[in-house]
Amino acid sequence: MKIVLLGAPGAGKGTQAKKLVEKYSLPQISTGDLLRAAVAAGSQLGKEAKSFMDKGELVPDSVVLGMVEERLKKDDCKKGYILDGFPRNTAQAEALDKMLSSLNMSLNAALSVDVPFDDLMKRLTGRRTCKSCGQMYNVYFSPSKKEGVCDKCSGELYQRDDDKEATIKRRLDVYNAQTAPLMEYYKKKGIVKSVAGTGSIDEIFKQVCSELGLK
Ligand code: AMP
């Protein structure tokens, strides 16, 4: 199953992707995670990406496309994958189509996770991530038992640089201008599925599986 996850920053795409990974053993390809790893590693690509990420802007397509293509060629992608946070604009969607046809692959679904705009702000400003295992929390909705400490591995929780308020506003604007139009792009291909991204994580996951026709 080859899936693109659509939805605004904070809609919970990453959380649902992780649940799909656990249950169906599909690799999650998150361009945000790949870029953060490059930043943490201090690579040239990471250095180039960081200034865009800190401002809430999209990293140039040339950087992202090379990264995704390399990842899609790996063996674990043969049976399927979940693209999370990619594509982010029409040029990337078109480039993905070309990449897929050259690899003899096609998408099964573009799944949109819909969350009202007002909820997104709280979700993003409240988000905390574990430095060690990547587990995510929210100080408003799903706090860790002990503030700043991961329940799972006792790692340190941190707030992503781009989850600060001014950057969040910019990320949402960029989403509306550049990424939201992808709904139309995939609607024309007849592969859009939608779920309401409000409610508990497990309730949303049930809907996700049902929309994707997964048991
Ligand atoms: P995310 O974790 O998906 O919210 O991504 C965090 C940041 O990484 C975004 O605000 C962008 O700066 C950058 N980024 C992630 N995916 C892409 C992409 N497909 N194209 C361009 N920039 C991206």
Side-chain angles (χ1 to χ4, degrees), residues 76-124:
D76 65 340
C77 287
K78 288 211 170 96
K79 61 179 176 143
Y81 42 78
I82 303 150
L83 285 168
D84 167 14
F86 177 89
R88 277 290 229 277
N89 59 27
T90 308
Q92 290 184 8
E94 286 168 354
L96 174 64
D97 281 345
K98 278 199 194 125
M99 242 182 251
L100 292 177
S101 73
S102 77
L103 294 168
N104 251 328
M105 290 175 175
S106 64
L107 292 173
N108 301 97
L111 179 78
S112 166
V113 183
D114 305 327
V115 173
F117 186 84
D118 288 349
D119 291 356
L120 294 171
M121 215 52 200
K122 231 178 174 180
R123 288 192 180 194
L124 291 166

Side-chain angles (χ1 to χ4, degrees), residues 6 110 181-194:
L6 299 173
L182 291 182
M183 278 291 276
E184 275 313 306
Y185 183 89
Y186 288 114
K187 265 186 192 158
K188 281 189 190 136
K189 293 181 182 290
I191 58 166
V192 170
K193 317 263 179 200
S194 298

Side-chain angles (χ1 to χ4, degrees), residues 2 26 54 57 74 85 88 94 114 118 125 140 161 167 180 182 190 209:
K2 301 176 182 75
L26 294 170
D54 286 348
E57 303 291 340
K74 295 206 167 137
R88 277 290 229 277
E94 286 168 354
D114 305 327
D118 288 349
T125 53
Y140 302 111
D161 284 343
T167 315
L182 291 182
C209 294

Side-chain angles (χ1 to χ4, degrees), residues 131-143:
K131 266 189 182 160
S132 310
C133 73
Q135 176 67 32
M136 300 217 275
Y137 299 87
N138 187 290
V139 296
Y140 302 111
F141 306 119
S142 52

Side-chain angles (χ1 to χ4, degrees), residues 53-69:
M53 294 169 79
D54 286 348
K55 284 185 285 191
E57 303 291 340
L58 294 184
V59 172
D61 293 345
S62 54
V63 175
V64 175
L65 290 172
M67 218 173 60
V68 172
E69 186 159 23

Side-chain angles (χ1 to χ4, degrees), residues 8-83:
K13 297 187 300 294
T15 305
Q16 293 301 320
K18 287 202 167 62
K19 290 196 68 84
L20 286 166
V21 168
E22 268 172 33
K23 190 152 180 197
Y24 299 103
S25 311
L26 294 170
Q28 170 192 11
I29 304 176
S30 157
T31 42
D33 285 351
L34 290 172
L35 289 166
R36 279 183 288 280
V39 170
S43 68
Q44 185 52 39
L45 188 151
K47 284 185 188 129
E48 215 181 315
K50 188 172 185 335
S51 62
F52 294 95
M53 294 169 79
D54 286 348
K55 284 185 285 191
E57 303 291 340
L58 294 184
V59 172
D61 293 345
S62 54
V63 175
V64 175
L65 290 172
M67 218 173 60
V68 172
E69 186 159 23
E70 212 174 286
R71 184 66 190 84
L72 285 177
K73 283 182 181 158
K74 295 206 167 137
D75 273 355
D76 65 340
C77 287
K78 288 211 170 96
K79 61 179 176 143
Y81 42 78
I82 303 150
L83 285 168

